[in-house]
């Protein structure tokens, strides 16, 4: 034998710690590649390596889809209250304050009238960064008001969803927001005003089982997780692993739940074309 | 009579066992009337004490009691000529929801209910009352038919929730529930929804958009199950009792929050102690509300329902 095994195995080389300067580089949640943050930002918060669409805030979303200078906000003063004195790991009251400070918003949704490609629309954009985009009284109220505003004016309604579902901290009144928003959309539909629902990662539970699924058109961002029950709950219930790609936007389109999957970079153009198709009134 | 006692009913169980023993012994020669009478009174007092102070978690257990009367009991006791309808005309028939045409109080109505089933085999066949999308679509088909022919709708709610499974997701569980909410809100016939046991989240609400929403005294209605809530908040489903406390899911809480219109009193010890008496109480409430609703025009009914749900929610404008 021309080589000899070293009797004492070498201690494994210490793992090389790659030091990533804070904020300069990010690891993609999907492909795990380290990507230059500026490159992701330039690419509309989409991973240039794997096309993963990062979750973005409501404000970032609006910047991407509405015409500059056309944004008029509605109901910014509608604020949540801790009417149940809900306290789990922290008081709901305090959680609200924390998220309000973090996002600069009163709750998980921004409502506005704006133009997209020169055409007016009422937009409601959910913010996953505010308590997981959960729907409580404020989210339900602002969506219902937007639907009523559209019914009144004939301006189409567009809702961007991004939510884990109903907000437990408002108990059964959160559940009732599902009925409230759906009822408002029923009226909008009777008026013949279009409602376009855009599903982004993630859209679940009480949000997906109410207004989100009621669009005349339902659009999804690529690879978004969309469903009624969360994958963990389903796995625990059926005691089996879920198939690859389960509940992704592509899966939902294959099963007839979504009209089209639209890349973030084409979202604005697509919405403009849709608004053009529906016309005004 | 052998009851399936719940944990907190232990003192009642012990006393009732003693009465039973005495009665058996009396068969020989002892006169036990006086003694059993005293004990029976004690049992009633104890039941009164326990059942007027049930915790939210105890109520959850009563609402889920294996002997709790279910939709089939009420259909049998309160209606005649019930003709069950089947299928969503698209995929299949979902036995987790039972519904059809029936005569109630001398009038034709559409009756739609979650059905948990009774014996094990039946429960499994009915998926323990957890509907798939086709169940909700069947319900919607029946509701639209009721609207077409001007028949009032009565729904009985009793489900842990819509089923979280692969097929349910593939066939659009979310859409099925959402569609029911939208359509129900605008139906032009009277709708009365009664939570008879468990009102589990969106799967319950999908039959729950009524002009009147009523609840049996020990039923529950919640945005999420106590177990699910505990799992999310503390990663520990065993803390369900605490979560039940937080969620305000009792009929009494919901009346305070103005989510429901009336609480239907149950017999002492819970609905399962006296099914006939429970049915009678339900009957009385249904008659009262139906009488009011049939006076309203189709437009008024739809408007009434819209206004009712539109007003739900608590927020401030600051």
């Amino acid at each position: 034998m021309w080589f000899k095994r070293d009797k004492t195995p070498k201690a494994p080389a210490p793992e090389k710690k790659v030091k990533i300067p804070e904020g300069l580089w990010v690891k993609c949640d999907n492909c795990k590649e380290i990507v230059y943050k500026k490159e992701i930002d330039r690419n509309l918060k989409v991973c240039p390596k794997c096309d993963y669409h990062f979750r973005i805030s409501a404000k970032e979303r609006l910047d991407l889809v509405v015409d500059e200078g056309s944004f008029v906000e509605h109901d910014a003063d509608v604020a949540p209250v801790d009417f149940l004195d809900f306290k789990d790991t922290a008081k709901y009251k305090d959680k609200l304050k924390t998220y309000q400070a973090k996002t600069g918003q009163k709750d998980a949704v921004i409502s506005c009238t704006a133009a997209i490609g020169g055409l007016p629309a009422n937009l409601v954009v959910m913010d996953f960064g505010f308590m997981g985009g959960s729907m409580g009284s404020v989210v339900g109220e602002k969506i219902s008001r937007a639907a009523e505003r559209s019914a009144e004016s004939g301006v189409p309604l567009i809702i961007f969803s991004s939510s884990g579902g109903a907000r437990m901290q408002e108990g059964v009144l959160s559940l009732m927001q599902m009925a409230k928003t759906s009822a408002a959309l029923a009226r909008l539909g009777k008026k013949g005003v279009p409602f376009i629902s855009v599903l982004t990662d993630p859209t679940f539970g009480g949000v997906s089982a109410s207004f989100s699924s009621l669009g005349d058109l339902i659009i999804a961002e690529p690879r978004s997780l969309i469903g009624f029950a969360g994958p963990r709950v389903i796995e625990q219930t059926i005691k089996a692993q879920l198939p690859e790609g389960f509940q992704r936007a592509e899966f939902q389109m294959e099963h007839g739940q979504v009209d089209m999957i639209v890349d973030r970079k084409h979202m604005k153009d697509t919405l403009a074309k849709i608004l053009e198709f529906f016309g005004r009134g | 009579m052998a009851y399936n006692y719940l944990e907190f009913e232990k003192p009642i169980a012990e006393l009732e066992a003693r009465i039973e023993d005495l009665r058996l012994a009396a068969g020989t020669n002892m006169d036990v009337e006086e003694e059993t009478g005293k004990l029976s009174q004690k049992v009633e007092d104890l039941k009164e004490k326990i059942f007027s102070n049930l915790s939210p978690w105890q109520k959850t257990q009563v609402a889920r009691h294996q002997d709790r009367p279910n939709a089939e009991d009420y259909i049998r006791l309160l209606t005649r000529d019930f003709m069950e309808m089947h299928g969503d005309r698209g995929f299949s028939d979902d036995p987790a929801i039972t519904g059809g045409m029936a005569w109630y109080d001398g009038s034709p109505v559409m009756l739609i209910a979650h059905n948990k089933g009774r014996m094990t085999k039946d429960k499994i066949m009915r998926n323990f009352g957890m509907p798939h999308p086709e169940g909700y679509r069947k319900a919607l088909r029946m509701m639209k038919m009721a609207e077409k022919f001007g028949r009032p709708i009565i729904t009985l709610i009793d489900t842990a929730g819509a089923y979280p499974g692969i097929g349910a997701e593939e066939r659009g569980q979310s859409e099925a529930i959402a569609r029911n909410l939208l359509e129900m809100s605008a139906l032009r016939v009277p709708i009365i929804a009664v939570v008879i046991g468990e009102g589990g989240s969106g799967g319950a609400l999908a039959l729950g958009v009524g002009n009147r929403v009523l609840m049996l005294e020990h039923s529950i209605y919640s945005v999420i199950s106590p177990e699910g809530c505990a799992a999310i908040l503390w990663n520990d489903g065993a803390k369900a009792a605490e979560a039940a406390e937080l969620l305000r899911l009792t009929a009494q809480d919901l009346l305070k929050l103005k989510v429901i219109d009336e609480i239907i009193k149950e017999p002492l010890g819970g609905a399962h102690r006296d099914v006939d008496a429970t049915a009678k109480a339900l009957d009385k409430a249904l008659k009262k509300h139906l009488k009011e609703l049939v006076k309203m025009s189709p437009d008024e009914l739809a408007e009434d329902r819209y206004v009712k749900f539109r007003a739900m929610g608590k927020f401030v404008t600051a």
Side-chain angles (χ1 to χ4, degrees), chain B residues 16-33 35-36 39:
Chain B
E16 287 191 328
R18 256 174 67 196
I19 296 172
E20 199 60 30
D21 287 347
L22 277 174
R23 290 229 171 99
L24 286 173
T28 54
N29 52 14
M30 280 156 39
D31 180 21
V32 293
E33 276 305 305
E35 184 64 16
T36 55
L39 281 176

Side-chain angles (χ1 to χ4, degrees), chain A residues 26-254:
Chain A
V26 263
K27 191 163 149 192
C28 173
D29 296 334
N30 184 50
C31 67
K32 313 287 177 213
E33 289 278 339
I34 309 286
V35 197
Y36 192 42
K37 189 170 179 297
K38 278 206 178 133
E39 205 183 336
I40 290 185
D41 290 345
R42 261 201 306 273
N43 200 29
L44 314 178
K45 296 273 168 85
V46 175
C47 174
K49 308 261 182 207
C50 73
D51 210 32
Y52 171 76
H53 286 52
F54 282 82
R55 289 173 187 171
I56 56 175
S57 72
K59 283 181 184 130
E60 289 171 310
R61 177 81 60 191
L62 281 162
D63 278 346
L64 294 179
V65 294
V66 309
D67 296 351
E68 217 181 313
S70 72
F71 170 89
V72 180
E73 187 168 5
H74 298 297
D75 309 317
D77 57 346
V78 179
V81 276
D82 179 15
F83 54 88
L84 294 181
D85 270 318
F86 200 99
K87 183 177 178 286
D88 45 271
T89 45
K91 284 184 183 165
Y92 177 41
K93 231 181 269 156
D94 297 336
K95 275 190 192 172
L96 285 173
K97 274 187 206 139
T98 310
Y99 284 105
Q100 283 167 345
K102 195 181 120 192
T103 61
Q105 295 153 208
K106 293 268 194 287
D107 209 306
V109 74
I110 296 179
S111 175
C112 67
T113 301
I116 299 175
L119 296 167
N122 287 318
L123 285 105
V124 186
V125 182
M126 301 191 83
D127 199 322
F128 192 76
F130 194 109
M131 291 189 77
S134 54
M135 171 161 67
S137 299
V138 172
V139 171
E141 181 67 20
K142 286 174 85 163
I143 285 172
S144 303
R145 286 188 190 184
E148 286 167 344
R149 198 171 286 123
S150 279
E152 181 87 3
S153 63
V155 169
L157 175 67
I158 300 173
I159 302 178
F160 281 87
S161 294
S162 177
S163 171
R167 187 173 294 172
M168 293 184 303
Q169 289 82 352
E170 293 187 21
V172 77
L173 281 188
S174 291
L175 183 68
M176 294 303 142
Q177 303 309 307
M178 295 169 65
K180 177 163 119 181
T181 53
S182 302
L185 290 172
R187 294 213 154 176
L188 181 69
K190 289 228 163 94
K191 287 272 172 110
V193 181
F195 164 41
I196 301 139
S197 174
V198 187
L199 313 180
T200 71
D201 187 55
T203 301
F204 276 94
V207 166
S208 119
S210 63
F211 62 86
S212 281
S213 294
L214 295 171
D216 293 300
L217 277 173
I218 301 181
I219 300 173
E221 276 199 325
R223 292 195 58 75
S224 306
L225 266 185
I226 298 156
F228 173 66
R232 243 190 359 171
V233 174
I234 298 175
E235 273 182 345
Q236 281 163 8
T237 306
I238 64 171
K239 299 191 171 59
Q241 251 198 326
L242 294 169
E244 176 65 26
F246 183 69
Q247 290 185 323
R248 297 273 171 203
E250 295 74 14
F251 168 97
Q252 295 296 2
M253 191 158 88
E254 191 190 326

Side-chain angles (χ1 to χ4, degrees), chain B residues 205-242:
Chain B
L205 183 62
L207 298 186
V209 188
N211 295 89
R212 300 283 192 276
V213 183
L214 320 176
M215 278 178 85
L216 286 186
E217 186 184 357
H218 303 307
S219 60
I220 58 165
Y221 197 177
S222 180
V223 63
I224 185 171
S225 72
E227 290 88 343
C229 178
I232 292 174
L233 292 180
W234 303 293
N235 229 331
D236 183 3
K239 286 191 175 169
E242 281 169 63

Side-chain angles (χ1 to χ4, degrees), chain B residues 111-123:
Chain B
L111 209 144
I112 306 168
H114 295 105
N115 193 344
K116 286 186 173 178
R118 181 63 73 203
M119 310 310 279
T120 306
K121 225 173 121 185
D122 188 41
K123 280 182 180 165

